[in-house]
Amino acid sequence: MTPLPVFRTDARFDALLCDIDGCLCPESGGALDLDRLARVADYNRRAVERRDRPIITVCTGRPHGFAECVCRLLANTVMPCVCENGVWVYHPGDNSFHIDPAITHDHLVAVRTLYDWIDASFGPDGLTIQPGKTASVSPYHPDHDYLQQKSKLIRAQCEAQGWPFRISLTWNYINCDLTHISKATGIHRLIEYAQLDPDRLAGIGDTAGDLAIAQNVAWFAAPDNRHPDLDPVSDYISPHAEIEGVLNILDRLPV
């Protein structure tokens, strides 16, 4: 990836990396809160025009198509984002997608093998797999306790077969990611691509997977619906949940 022109603001931070599910919208589905998202978009428009605040971009496990849509919704036209837990870096400025070059053909074969095994083993029980992903597998179920049980079986199968996956949980998904790919590796690629200074980055997240954001930014916050694992690494925890919490966090950003 050819490095982008440096984006700098007159504020404390140049960019804010925000998770999508549980932060900008509910993970379980439902209507988007367009009124509050429009306020985030207005924040971004002012960031581009005035350079007086950080650009809000996304760092998500969602497929790149969903991340692209959210970037457009948030009026992010200049700052790349991380999608599919680090598999892709997407740049909304020129609509380009960059897969991590460390992902090989053999890795993609392993992804397909795991997908087929999960679908055959648990599909009849009602476990579905999020479509649209390239180099990861994300089974979905609305019952978190059910997911915890199945995640143990999936982890055991990966270990027994030598499949190169890291298994983790969100509220409604089991994330099966290649062991050498993560939000952290995606953030590192984003930083290099956009020529960002980690000391001038902020972040928002709600699940244990967002520890990768917290560990790669200078200031981190979480909405009220966050996982307790985030409490020790959060500089601020909003009393509000999801998108309302994000807006509250934006008001608390150090200047």
Side-chain angles (χ1 to χ4, degrees):
M1 298 184 292
T2 302
L4 300 172
V6 176
F7 183 90
R8 288 288 183 269
T9 73
D10 296 326
R12 170 67 182 85
F13 303 111
D14 298 317
L16 185 152
L17 312 182
C18 187
D19 184 36
I20 295 179
D21 288 337
C23 293
L24 295 170
C25 65
E27 183 174 291
S28 57
L32 297 176
D33 189 335
L34 295 180
D35 290 338
R36 288 187 171 89
L37 287 169
R39 291 168 59 186
V40 179
D42 185 59
Y43 185 101
N44 267 348
R45 291 188 190 95
R46 294 185 181 186
V48 173
E49 293 170 1
R50 304 179 185 179
R51 302 292 178 98
D52 63 348
R53 63 196 67 198
I55 293 286
I56 301 166
T57 190
V58 299
C59 182
T60 179
R62 285 281 192 167
H64 52 68
F66 191 84
E68 174 188 347
C69 179
V70 172
C71 281
R72 293 188 180 198
L73 188 63
L74 298 184
N76 171 22
T77 59
V78 300
M79 187 60 63
C81 69
V82 176
C83 340
E84 200 178 329
N85 281 333
V87 171
W88 295 97
V89 170
Y90 167 66
H91 181 26
D94 61 10
N95 199 38
S96 60
F97 295 93
H98 307 275
I99 194 169
D100 194 310
I103 298 172
T104 67
H105 172 73
D106 288 344
H107 292 134
L108 296 178
V109 171
V111 169
R112 187 69 223 182
T113 301
L114 177 61
Y115 182 106
D116 290 343
W117 180 80
I118 292 174
D119 187 44
S121 300
F122 309 121
D125 296 338
L127 191 71
T128 57
I129 299 176
Q130 186 181 73
K133 292 197 168 182
T134 301
S136 63
V137 184
S138 293
Y140 168 85
H141 198 276
D143 186 336
H144 186 70
D145 291 337
Y146 173 92
L147 286 178
Q148 286 184 311
Q149 297 171 3
K150 299 308 180 188
S151 69
K152 294 175 183 177
L153 298 176
I154 293 171
R155 183 178 293 109
Q157 180 71 1
C158 288
E159 292 173 355
Q161 298 296 329
W163 295 338
F165 293 96
R166 179 182 63 259
I167 311 301
S168 61
L169 280 169
T170 67
W171 303 116
N172 297 118
Y173 289 94
I174 303 170
N175 283 329
C176 307
D177 299 301
L178 292 166
T179 52
H180 65 303
I181 304 296
S182 66
K183 280 188 176 181
T185 62
I187 293 170
H188 296 161
R189 293 173 64 226
L190 170 61
I191 288 172
E192 181 178 6
Y193 181 36
Q195 300 191 67
L196 296 169
D197 180 350
D199 289 334
R200 293 182 55 79
L201 293 180
I204 299 174
D206 71 304
T207 66
D210 295 320
L211 285 168
I213 300 178
Q215 292 162 356
N216 286 282
V217 299
W219 190 88
F220 181 81
D224 182 60
N225 53 292
R226 85 284 178 193
H227 191 284
D229 284 355
L230 295 180
D231 288 8
V233 300
S234 295
D235 296 289
Y236 175 68
I237 297 173
S238 173
H240 306 287
E242 297 178 346
I243 182 65
E244 187 174 357
V246 169
L247 291 168
N248 173 251
I249 289 166
L250 294 180
D251 288 336
R252 297 299 185 99
L253 272 176
V255 297

